[in-house]
Amino acid sequence: MERNAFGITTILLGLALSVVADEPEKFNPTRWEAAIEKFEAADKQSPPAPGGALFIGSSSIRMWDLAKHFPAEKNAINRGFGGSHMADSTHYAERIAIAYQPRVIFIYAGDNDIKGGKTPQRVLSDYRAFVKKVHAELPKTRIVYIAIKPSIARWNLVDKMRQANALIREETAGDKRLAFIDIDTPMLGDDGKPREELFIKDGLHLSEAGYEIWSDLVRPHLAKE
């Protein structure tokens, strides 16, 4: 059966529209509702005290053993949910950030955003939305952005990730309540590539050695003012 150019164009257009139609669902934050409800159930059993240190974001946060790495911080709250984007943390900020009235928030997000096709400018925009939402309710809370890491698995995206990092770093410079932690340089070897020992087998998530580096960089920001 022959297909003319018009028929092929129609098919391709249909496929393109299908992809566009699927975009909102792909980044729909309500897909994390079950995870957020688990956090809320845990909060009912053991409510976090106000004034703590909140760690929020994607799987690099979720897999971080805060009690082990920050034994002096008695009120460290881990609210990482793996695979999440910056906008997801913003969407649930009232329930798993603002509700705790933390003195400081450490956020790691943007890694999955770039992998998912979002631009560095979009990551900046979503970061601004998170800051705006938190500071509308908690104007004194410090927000510390942990830079998007240079990973083995996503090395092909490092340029876009560094662009996002640079944009957010510049954004934090004008507000003393904001800070930026550069974890890019410390995670690179002499060859300029990510150090293998800092990752588990998937080349994406951190090993214990990787978390030691992150923890050393985060620790000074935990100091209470």
Side-chain angles (χ1 to χ4, degrees), residues 104-174:
V104 59
I105 296 173
F106 296 93
I107 181 165
Y108 182 80
D111 199 329
N112 294 318
D113 304 56
I114 297 295
K115 179 62 170 64
K118 293 182 180 178
T119 65
Q121 292 74 20
R122 172 64 184 276
V123 175
L124 172 63
S125 177
D126 289 346
Y127 165 78
R128 285 173 171 167
F130 178 81
V131 170
K132 182 178 180 180
K133 192 169 189 178
V134 170
H135 279 165
E137 299 294 330
L138 304 172
K140 295 183 179 180
T141 295
R142 289 178 291 129
I143 299 175
V144 181
Y145 182 79
I146 300 173
I148 303 173
K149 67 181 181 291
S151 66
I152 298 168
R154 295 179 178 175
W155 186 244
N156 62 310
L157 298 171
V158 69
D159 289 340
K160 289 184 178 179
M161 291 176 172
R162 285 174 174 166
Q163 289 174 32
N165 285 339
L167 289 170
I168 293 177
R169 185 171 201 159
E170 183 178 1
E171 183 78 9
T172 65

Side-chain angles (χ1 to χ4, degrees), residues 207-220:
S207 66
E208 183 62 20
Y211 279 118
E212 286 178 3
I213 288 179
W214 282 33
S215 298
D216 286 343
L217 294 168
V218 160
R219 205 165 284 114

Side-chain angles (χ1 to χ4, degrees), residues 4-46:
N4 58 30
F6 177 79
I8 294 174
T9 301
T10 302
I11 292 172
L12 292 175
L13 179 60
L15 289 173
L17 290 174
S18 175
V19 171
V20 171
D22 287 343
E23 272 309 89
E25 180 64 26
K26 183 177 180 181
F27 298 120
N28 183 357
T30 60
R31 68 194 187 284
W32 301 113
E33 183 63 29
I36 304 306
E37 288 177 354
K38 287 183 179 179
F39 289 146
E40 292 176 325
D43 294 340
K44 289 181 180 179
Q45 294 293 323
S46 181

Side-chain angles (χ1 to χ4, degrees), residues 51-206:
L54 173 67
F55 291 72
I56 190 171
S58 57
S59 55
S60 292
I61 294 292
R62 179 180 59 81
M63 298 167 69
W64 203 338
D65 188 340
L66 301 182
K68 178 179 180 179
H69 288 279
F70 307 109
E73 178 59 53
K74 302 305 180 183
N75 192 13
I77 309 164
N78 191 319
R79 290 297 176 263
F81 43 119
S84 62
H85 289 216
M86 181 77 73
D88 296 320
S89 290
T90 304
H91 181 82
Y92 289 108
E94 295 99 333
R95 296 163 66 182
I96 59 169
I98 295 168
Y100 307 134
Q101 301 180 47
R103 72 180 189 279
V104 59
I105 296 173
F106 296 93
I107 181 165
Y108 182 80
D111 199 329
N112 294 318
D113 304 56
I114 297 295
K115 179 62 170 64
K118 293 182 180 178
T119 65
Q121 292 74 20
R122 172 64 184 276
V123 175
L124 172 63
S125 177
D126 289 346
Y127 165 78
R128 285 173 171 167
F130 178 81
V131 170
K132 182 178 180 180
K133 192 169 189 178
V134 170
H135 279 165
E137 299 294 330
L138 304 172
K140 295 183 179 180
T141 295
R142 289 178 291 129
I143 299 175
V144 181
Y145 182 79
I146 300 173
I148 303 173
K149 67 181 181 291
S151 66
I152 298 168
R154 295 179 178 175
W155 186 244
N156 62 310
L157 298 171
V158 69
D159 289 340
K160 289 184 178 179
M161 291 176 172
R162 285 174 174 166
Q163 289 174 32
N165 285 339
L167 289 170
I168 293 177
R169 185 171 201 159
E170 183 178 1
E171 183 78 9
T172 65
D175 191 331
K176 65 180 182 180
R177 300 170 300 174
L178 305 178
F180 178 92
I181 297 180
D182 174 22
I183 51 84
D184 188 331
T185 305
M187 295 186 70
L188 301 178
D190 293 337
D191 60 356
K193 299 290 184 64
R195 293 160 53 189
E196 291 186 10
E197 73 272 18
L198 303 182
F199 298 89
I200 59 176
K201 290 182 179 180
D202 64 7
L204 176 63
H205 297 101
L206 298 178

